[in-house]
Amino acid sequence: MLVEIVRARHGLAAEAHVVSESRYAMGFGSQWRDLLDDTCEALKGRGFRSVKLAPGGHEVPVVNDSLLYVWRMANSPKAVSEFASSPTRKNGFMTAPLDPTLWEPSLSGELEPVNDASEESELGSALRAVGDIMPLVLVMVESTPRQLQSIEWAVAVLDGDGKVQLRGQERIWEPELAADGAASDVESFDSGVPVAPVVELQKQDRTLTDG
């Protein structure tokens, strides 16, 4: 579902860029807010809840007790580390969990009973342990007006210096010629969370401000 949302928005933004005949990609890069809105509207339509991050008021969906922030990265080597450079994004790392419910929606559109706390996985417990704050899952989109290059996600962690680090980074989509069928094996987010990879995290090279 996330992949379809991102691809649809990319197509609209790329078409608008072509129509404008602009020499610059600033307009194309402004799709970051539309990505947030598109994702939130689609997930709320399936019964998922959301929170608004102050002071910017950005509405972010909550899936599997985690904030799901879809973000197009601009071209900068400090993209990920400076993700929380704005007060609004920084508050995404300080959001308390929502009140529990008896039933939780799923991306299949059906309600599912909430598992008993005694059955919570070790990873799930670890993600919620520190200060009882919701984890932030960052969905990172790399693109140019000519091509949607990749979609990755990871659990984003804010360190003591205000810099963001990634845990469990995983690519969930890339162009078919490069994917070689790997994208079809990615587990749906409502069934789990990114798991820390064995290999070393790759260096990021894109960023974008809240505007």
Side-chain angles (χ1 to χ4, degrees):
M1 181 178 180
L2 285 176
V3 170
E4 285 75 12
I5 293 171
V6 172
R7 294 183 69 181
R9 176 52 56 183
H10 170 78
L12 292 171
E15 181 179 359
H17 178 78
V18 171
V19 171
S20 70
E21 298 184 356
S22 175
R23 297 177 178 83
Y24 311 100
M26 289 181 291
F28 178 80
S30 66
Q31 66 180 280
W32 66 269
R33 190 62 185 267
D34 285 312
L35 279 172
L36 281 179
D37 292 344
D38 291 347
T39 306
C40 196
E41 289 175 4
L43 290 174
K44 286 174 66 177
R46 290 177 175 257
F48 290 93
R49 294 181 289 175
S50 65
V51 297
K52 286 189 176 181
L53 302 180
H58 302 165
E59 192 171 10
V60 182
V62 176
V63 179
N64 199 26
D65 293 323
S66 300
L67 292 176
L68 189 65
Y69 199 112
V70 182
W71 173 56
R72 180 191 174 267
M73 299 187 294
N75 189 15
S76 170
K78 297 181 179 180
V80 171
S81 64
E82 295 185 353
F83 171 79
S85 58
S86 77
T88 301
R89 288 179 177 171
K90 189 172 184 179
N91 280 334
F93 296 91
M94 306 173 185
T95 304
L98 300 177
D99 292 336
T101 60
L102 293 177
W103 299 88
E104 288 288 345
S106 68
L107 294 181
S108 66
E110 298 179 356
L111 292 176
E112 297 180 349
V114 176
N115 292 333
D116 184 85
S118 62
E119 299 177 358
E120 186 176 18
S121 68
E122 181 178 349
L123 179 58
S125 299
L127 287 172
R128 297 192 58 175
V130 181
D132 200 25
I133 299 300
M134 276 196 291
L136 189 150
V137 174
L138 190 60
V139 181
M140 297 161 285
V141 179
E142 291 190 274
S143 64
T144 69
R146 293 186 176 183
Q147 183 187 36
L148 178 59
Q149 298 165 326
S150 69
I151 306 173
E152 299 183 349
W153 68 10
V155 177
V157 178
L158 190 66
D159 65 21
D161 296 323
K163 302 298 182 182
V164 173
Q165 300 177 9
L166 301 179
R167 299 288 184 268
Q169 187 172 359
E170 185 176 42
R171 179 162 295 191
I172 60 175
W173 182 89
E174 59 187 357
E176 291 184 5
L177 292 179
D180 195 26
S184 62
D185 295 330
V186 176
E187 185 178 13
S188 172
F189 177 65
D190 70 332
S191 301
V193 292
V195 179
V198 177
V199 298
E200 184 178 353
L201 298 180
Q202 297 179 352
K203 183 178 178 182
Q204 305 298 308
D205 59 357
R206 295 183 178 268
T207 194
L208 191 63
T209 63
D210 276 329

